[in-house]
Amino acid sequence: MTADIRALTGVAIEEEVAAPQADARRADQRGVGHAVVHGMLWFFSQNAASRVVQAGSQFVLAWLLVPADFGLISLALTVSGIVSSAFQLGLDDVVLQRRHRMSIWFGTLFWLSVGPAMLCLVVLVCAAPVAARIYGHPQLAGLLMVVALGVPLRSFSVIPVTVIRARLDFRLLSMLGFAEVVVVNLATIALAAADFGAYSFALPIPLGAAVFSAAAWAITRTAMPRRRAHFHWTALLPKSLAVSGTRLITSLIGQGDAMVLGLVASDVRVGLYFFAYRIAAQPVRLMGSSVGSVLFPALIHLSREPLRQRDAAMVASQVLAIVVMPICFLQAALAQPFIGLVFHDDWAGAAIYIQILSVGLAFDAVSWVIGPLLPANGRFRSLIRYAMLNACVFLLLITIGATFSADYGVALGVAVYFTLFTPCVCYTVLNRVAPVSIRQYAAIYLVPAVPSAIGAFGSAYLLAPLGAPVQLVLAPVLALSFYAACIWHLAPGPVGYMLTRLRALRSRSS
């Protein structure tokens, strides 16, 4: 579940921006900078549109389904996510680095992607009854088998997606991703209205994967490899081990919270947590992935200039924290009146999860910037070591939390991990590039966090006697006005830089 926000491992960012790194010289007359700017615009637009669709779908589904349905699909996605990550070799990123003769590797890439995916399908089908018995939900076995079908169907798109990324065609990649989101969410709502229960989530997954793969092949018109290739496949595997290993560890971090919560709490509690997390993570996912995807090639370009690389990471971290933190704290402050006003009583328990997770995730935004520093400097062994450390600490914290409180302990463990441990790891990574004082680094978090918390919780408290509707309308206005005034005086440099870059981005995109 937290997989979508584990940029600390650098893998998610590396996947989405390897194209600018791999094929920047073939950007023709546009130039790398122009391609990156337009790529960011398309990626951000697609990301924002997808979040709107997913949020709207989430609200509709909350009226059509019950928390137990969300809990069951959360457990199914947890098991499938961990198992499938063990079969992802990361060869597409390796092939992208061989851009000049990329096509001769397509046969190897295809079969070493589809083959493990088919094996993963078999493993998931065999593991489904075992998982259902462990979690005590017989329905989980059927859900896992349906979700497993999406793994091989998705793997069929590996070649056309690699071609699209090599062409720097962010527009096409964004459109394909958005089309899949729309298909999956519309199908989910239709099935939920037809009373399919938890299967409303599972059945559209293989459908969306099939639509995405078919569309990618049809649009790129890439030739399908007709026979299995043996072209030096051993040259690809060693370099993919770092990416593959990090993905597996990232998945353990990403799915660990739901995995542990499912063992100690009811499916209703798991469903409330799953629902709350998908709401709380929206600001970080939207802004973090967009900024990180554009920043990664710039960090690579500065890999031989550590001071400039450090300064670029510091400025980007400040800007991202300034933008994300007030939104996260507003989510936390207004979760109770929002859930009470919009949803029926079955979802009242989700409010406290949103509050806990929103505060924690506010401190995770910086990792989207600092995380890519390791792969940008070619430190893949360090990447794996940090990923292993993160996984151990994350699982330890949520296990301790679950021991003390079956209902809210896991959420508190997640919040502690993001609030305390992740900033420490990011500071260590940043210092490996160039020295940074603790005072400067702490200011990245504290300068936006303090006025965000005061403005959000203060305005929500003052307006509470006026009722939820007034609170939801006026509290953001008061909180953001207070925050804007504070941040303008506390961080004039990053704010001025952000405004300058926005004006430049607007002029270059026109």
Side-chain angles (χ1 to χ4, degrees), residues 234-457:
T234 55
L236 296 179
L237 287 181
K239 292 187 177 181
S240 71
L241 291 180
V243 176
S244 178
T246 307
R247 285 180 180 177
L248 176 58
I249 298 171
T250 301
S251 181
L252 291 175
I253 299 174
Q255 309 297 339
D257 47 358
M259 178 180 66
V260 173
L261 186 62
L263 295 173
V264 300
S266 65
D267 54 350
V268 173
R269 279 293 171 186
V270 177
L272 291 173
Y273 180 88
F274 180 67
F275 176 80
Y277 199 102
R278 297 181 73 174
I279 293 177
Q282 292 299 327
V284 178
R285 289 177 177 176
L286 173 60
M287 300 303 301
S289 59
S290 299
V291 172
S293 64
V294 177
L295 183 65
F296 184 68
L299 293 177
I300 294 175
H301 182 71
L302 298 174
S303 60
R304 295 185 179 182
E305 301 178 74
L307 294 179
R308 291 186 61 195
Q309 190 182 60
R310 178 204 61 188
D311 293 342
M314 289 282 289
V315 171
S317 298
Q318 291 173 320
V319 170
L320 189 57
I322 287 172
V323 173
V324 170
M325 280 198 173
I327 302 176
C328 289
F329 278 101
L330 269 175
Q331 282 185 160
L334 300 177
Q336 197 74 45
F338 175 75
I339 295 295
L341 182 66
V342 176
F343 301 104
H344 49 75
D345 294 339
D346 290 343
W347 295 99
I352 190 168
Y353 287 122
I354 296 176
Q355 292 172 334
I356 296 171
L357 294 171
S358 293
V359 172
L361 288 170
F363 291 85
D364 185 53
V366 174
S367 69
W368 288 89
V369 176
I370 305 301
L373 284 172
L374 289 177
N377 289 284
R379 297 174 179 175
F380 292 103
R381 290 185 180 180
S382 298
L383 185 67
I384 295 180
R385 286 197 293 267
Y386 277 109
M388 293 177 64
L389 175 63
N390 291 334
C392 291
V393 173
F394 181 79
L395 294 175
L396 177 63
L397 288 174
I398 62 176
T399 301
I400 293 174
T403 302
F404 285 96
S405 174
D407 290 338
Y408 301 110
V410 170
L412 289 171
V414 172
V416 170
Y417 171 80
F418 287 142
T419 306
L420 300 180
F421 182 73
T422 298
C424 294
V425 175
C426 288
Y427 178 71
T428 304
V429 172
L430 189 60
N431 261 292
R432 296 193 65 175
V433 177
V436 179
S437 69
I438 296 180
R439 181 178 180 180
Q440 284 180 307
Y441 182 75
I444 296 176
Y445 294 92
L446 296 179
V447 168
V450 173
S452 293
I454 295 174
F457 289 103

Side-chain angles (χ1 to χ4, degrees), residues 9-33:
T9 62
V11 173
I13 292 178
E14 184 178 2
E15 285 181 343
E16 302 195 13
V17 297
Q21 177 188 3
D23 208 26
R25 293 183 181 179
R26 299 169 62 185
D28 295 330
Q29 299 177 351
R30 295 183 302 172
V32 176

Side-chain angles (χ1 to χ4, degrees), residues 57-82:
S57 172
Q58 184 96 336
F59 296 153
V60 174
L61 291 172
W63 283 96
L64 297 175
L65 301 173
V66 296
D69 294 326
F70 281 77
L72 286 172
I73 193 59
S74 175
L75 295 176
L77 294 176
T78 295
V79 176
S80 64
I82 294 175

Side-chain angles (χ1 to χ4, degrees), residues 6 42 63 70 88 149 156 171 196 229 295 300 341 364 410 443 486 489:
R6 295 270 46 80
W42 276 106
W63 283 96
F70 281 77
Q88 296 175 3
L149 294 174
F156 280 104
R171 176 180 180 181
F196 274 75
L295 183 65
I300 294 175
L341 182 66
D364 185 53
V410 170
C486 291
H489 293 284

